[in-house]
Amino acid sequence: MNHQYIDSHAHLFFEDYKKDLPDVLSRAKDAGVKYCIVPGTDLATSREAISLAEQHENIFACIGVHPHEAAKATDMDLVKIEELSIHPKVVAIGEIGLDYHYDFSPKEKQKEFFSYQIEIAVRQRLPIVVHTRESIEDTFRIVQKKVDMHSNWREMVTAPGRGVFHCFPGTAKDVKYLRALGFYVSYPGIVTFKKSNSIETVQQIGIQNILLETDSPYMTPVPLRGKRNEPANIIYIGRKIAESLHITEEEVARITTENTMHLFGLEDN
């Protein structure tokens, strides 16, 4: 294989991988996956993500409190997240954001935690990994406010460089708006689903502003639906995007890998 991918979002600390993580990583390597970015969802899993990154050269960590976990998290958890953010293998604050599909956490608590964690990212000069589900208007409003407040956020990196909206559910118009703010968007196996309009959005926006992810163990792409997802399956996502844009898989891999390296500062590692 003469091209390499980066899985920009894989929850490899999940129980699903406790027994066979070495095999999972071996298959990823064989599939051409250069790096895996592992985002935490609360303080405990953020620590697990860092531990995985310490053990494996090709894993990097993101740390943060997911909107589902905001109701259970404490202010001290956020203090600890910021303390952990100085670890050399932490490349972003995430997975953070808003999720109004479920009512696991009150909306106001989600907004409070999202806003505060963006402030951590600004102070630590880190990008953010954003989750938004049925909450795009409020998510955009908070991000826009922070961008307006902090002109120095990621000033050392040319835009887009403030973060990525992962598993992005929005339209091509939304992507254009985010690009102007300095954000990438990322797509998992959802681009292979018949009932999803994500691939149509990709066709409208092109490859230049996107990252690829598996969102493992979720979002398993066709033709493996129903099975546990893992980073090696990113090849199906790249293949689908290549077919839809009438470009080569090598080009998809090259551009999305460059984008991911740039966003997370992996050139320095």
Side-chain angles (χ1 to χ4, degrees):
M1 179 171 293
N2 58 1
H3 52 278
Q4 292 185 312
Y5 287 104
I6 296 178
D7 186 349
S8 68
H9 199 105
H11 299 288
L12 297 180
F13 51 76
F14 270 42
E15 194 66 32
D16 306 56
Y17 305 107
K18 296 297 185 187
K19 293 182 179 180
D20 68 339
L21 183 60
D23 293 335
V24 168
L25 295 177
S26 178
R27 286 192 292 271
K29 183 178 180 180
D30 290 344
V33 178
K34 182 177 183 179
Y35 297 129
C36 294
I37 312 298
V38 178
T41 55
D42 58 14
L43 180 57
T45 56
S46 292
R47 285 174 169 151
E48 287 188 66
I50 291 175
S51 178
L52 285 174
E54 289 174 337
Q55 296 171 51
H56 301 279
E57 186 178 359
N58 63 335
I59 290 179
F60 293 87
C62 307
I63 58 172
V65 177
H66 188 286
H68 287 342
E69 308 300 326
K72 295 180 285 185
T74 67
D75 291 347
M76 184 53 65
D77 288 345
L78 297 181
V79 171
K80 295 294 185 183
I81 289 291
E82 183 154 15
E83 290 175 356
L84 291 172
S85 70
I86 65 173
H87 191 285
K89 294 205 75 176
V90 169
V91 296
I93 301 299
E95 175 181 355
I96 64 176
L98 305 175
D99 190 314
Y100 296 169
H101 181 73
Y102 299 105
D103 57 357
F104 293 152
S105 299
K107 291 181 180 178
E108 290 308 310
K109 186 71 176 291
Q110 291 187 43
K111 292 176 186 176
E112 176 188 343
F113 269 53
F114 183 34
S115 180
Y116 188 88
Q117 290 180 99
I118 294 176
E119 292 293 332
I120 293 175
V122 171
R123 285 194 292 270
Q124 300 300 328
R125 296 289 199 273
L126 289 169
I128 57 176
V129 177
V130 181
H131 172 107
T132 180
R133 188 173 186 188
E134 298 177 18
S135 58
I136 280 184
E137 287 188 8
D138 282 352
T139 307
F140 282 8
R141 189 176 300 114
I142 291 172
V143 168
Q144 178 74 65
K145 180 179 179 181
K146 296 300 183 182
V147 170
D148 292 343
M149 286 174 59
H150 300 290
S151 60
N152 63 333
W153 185 16
R154 294 292 281 175
E155 62 186 358
M156 76 294 292
V157 176
T158 55
R162 290 189 173 97
V164 57
F165 277 64
H166 106 95
C167 193
F168 188 61
T171 65
K173 181 180 179 181
D174 293 329
V175 175
K176 183 178 180 180
Y177 168 78
L178 288 174
R179 183 184 293 130
L181 290 184
F183 286 89
Y184 292 94
V185 293
S186 180
Y187 291 98
I190 195 170
V191 297
T192 68
F193 300 173
K194 288 183 177 180
K195 293 184 178 180
S196 169
N197 61 0
S198 293
I199 199 64
E200 285 79 11
T201 302
V202 171
Q203 288 173 323
Q204 293 175 60
I205 65 175
I207 194 73
Q208 296 301 325
N209 200 57
I210 73 172
L211 313 184
L212 301 188
E213 61 170 288
T214 60
D215 200 15
S216 295
Y218 310 114
M219 294 286 178
T220 307
V222 174
L224 302 175
R225 295 290 287 150
K227 299 180 180 180
R228 180 194 68 176
N229 203 6
E230 60 179 70
N233 297 337
I234 203 165
I235 60 174
Y236 298 105
I237 302 165
R239 188 170 301 159
K240 179 66 175 182
I241 290 175
E243 291 171 355
S244 300
L245 295 178
H246 306 292
I247 59 179
T248 65
E249 291 180 50
E250 286 82 2
E251 191 171 0
V252 172
R254 178 180 59 80
I255 294 173
T256 59
T257 293
E258 287 175 356
N259 289 345
T260 310
M261 297 277 285
H262 172 74
L263 174 64
F264 293 121
L266 299 182
E267 296 96 335
D268 298 329
N269 290 284

